[in-house]
Amino acid sequence: MGTALVYHEDMTATRLLWDDPECEIERPERLTAALDRLRQRGLEQRCLLLSAREASEEELGLVHSPEYVSLVRETQVLGKEELQALSGQFDAICFHPSTFHCARLAAGAGLQLVDAVLTGAVQNGLALVRPPGHHSQRAAANGFCVFNNVAIAAAHAKQKHGLHRILVVDWDVHHGQGIQYLFEDDPSILYFSWHRYEHGRFWPFLRESDADAVGRGQGLGFTVNLPWNQVGMGNADYVAAFLHLLLPLAFEFDPELVLVSAGFDSAIGDPEGQMQATPECFAHLTQLLQVLAGGRVCAMLEGGYHLESLAESVCMTVQTLLGDPAPPLSGSMVPCQSALESIQSARAAQAPHWKSLQLQEERPPPLLPGGPVCKGAASAPSSLLDQPCLCPAPSVRTAVALTAPDITLVLPPDVIQQEGSALREETEAWARPHESLAREEALAALGKLLYLLDGMLDGQVNSGIAATPASAAAATLDVAIRRGLSHGAQRLLCVALGQLDRPPDLAHDGRSLWLNIRGKEAAALSMFHVSTPLPAMTGGFLSCILGLVLPLAYSFQPDLVLVALGPGHGLQGRHAALLAAMLRGLAGGRVLALLEEDSTPQLAGILARVLNGEAPPSLGASSVASPEDVRALMYLRGQLEPQWKMLQCHPHLVA
Ligand code: X5A
Ligand code: ZN
């Protein structure tokens, strides 16, 4: 359905007219660097370009006072001295004669983006704007922000489009206190912000940036603050915050729209943030948000002051909005102790307000040896930024290899129905040890699967779907695992649903991680052989994915993922779609789904579309997990946490 990119060159006009070391980082080059890189990567050309319009004063009035709007309007005619004097009345603000025009364009860009998404013209988009917005308040400019672009867009989505639930994700490294103040009593806007805090010693030095600020009145629980008390937070910390805090609440909230205060000063190299997350991390954050609200995600630029890191991170975000799979994350996926402390204190503060957190908070943290501490601020390890981000786009994103090409299958034009099959002799050789693969139908299906798998291992195809007769599902999966491991996959994650046992003679060499959902009981037979019952309700299914499957998968860092819907998998289509959409964050999206031959064309169709980058349908208001589901999950997490560190959401008590 497409991605909008909203921009206007005029927004490069506002700039610093006098010496001010605090404001000088917010430069016009921020926009041109981002845009140039988008062009250079061929990403701008894939977007629907919208030229930003100015927000009207009435629209600004959705969140700002008329007196404040007038005050900013009048800066247009002030001279340098007067501008400087007025700027001094605010914290970290430097007005320019063009500021009013730019700030109206920035707010207008957000409105256009929301209109484009909510009218169905596009699926999602990014507004590249200056000045940023999230610090600005009803009657005050603050922290380089003049009008609150995201807050105006949210108020507009409510007023003009009648929305009832909007999620605002503020991944900028500063606390968007402006958004918090504007909506703190509003339960229709769930505001999440993580921010450098250092126990209150970092700008804007506010007590209300801490985790215990959770909103007020009707809005209790709809403000979610995750303060980082150390610098150096990296990919593992950010992904853990999404899996263990933001996403459980977001699914429970069930937003109709996701707005992102997309500041990239939380990325590596940024002088303000001093964090360590690499640009690829923003592809993962974006992809994780795209499973919400039917994929309606509107991102608006906030901060981001390291031009190289900013440009790269913007590309990662846009590329993911366009549906490309996220590049694998670099570095070991182990959240640091300080991050776990922050996540835990935010979970504890929110638990009274969210069912999805309640049952889980009773367990005391396990006694384990201490985990790593954050590496602290480092200068931009240029090695991490210099790596040309080759995301070798396979020529085919998704291929479907069903035994009889299905004419009733509705597929997007870029998903191909694969005709090819592996050589007969080779197929027979792989099939030989398995009785269930002797039948002609099973052999034919195996030939197609092997051909598809080879395409994926060679990098021609990114993801795919293959089918097999139910009686041959286990054997076919067994062959796929062996073939994958012997033809280039270093680490293979297999998520098996239904009655599929781990192949008995699969080596226990740590190269494959077997996770059976709908096992008879919760059991960790080894760190690489996990089984859990299929949760009964949507809530249980979500906690299984967010609390077990994805943390295991992100810890293991596979380079190939097999997901098999075997006999009696019992999974609803929308649950299967969500699982596939989220597993796509692993292995650069190299995901092969194995279905039973008699699966409905609807199931094959939805999986193909999701693997190809379409948003899964939203699950709607979710039920809670049953006590048995929670118990199974808690048990497995306890067993597996020592090895798979992304499972942790409590800091260790150092023994
Ligand atoms: C949008 C943004 C930061 C202001 C920092 C002032 N503002 N020291 O990143
Ligand atoms: Zn910022």
Side-chain angles (χ1 to χ4, degrees), residues 134-135 143-144 170 172-175 203 263-266 270 272 302-305:
H134 70 152
H135 298 303
F144 318 154
D170 188 340
D172 185 281
V173 85
H174 300 96
H175 182 213
W203 191 92
F264 298 99
D265 42 14
S266 46
D270 193 278
E272 279 285 310
E302 300 277 5
Y305 308 101

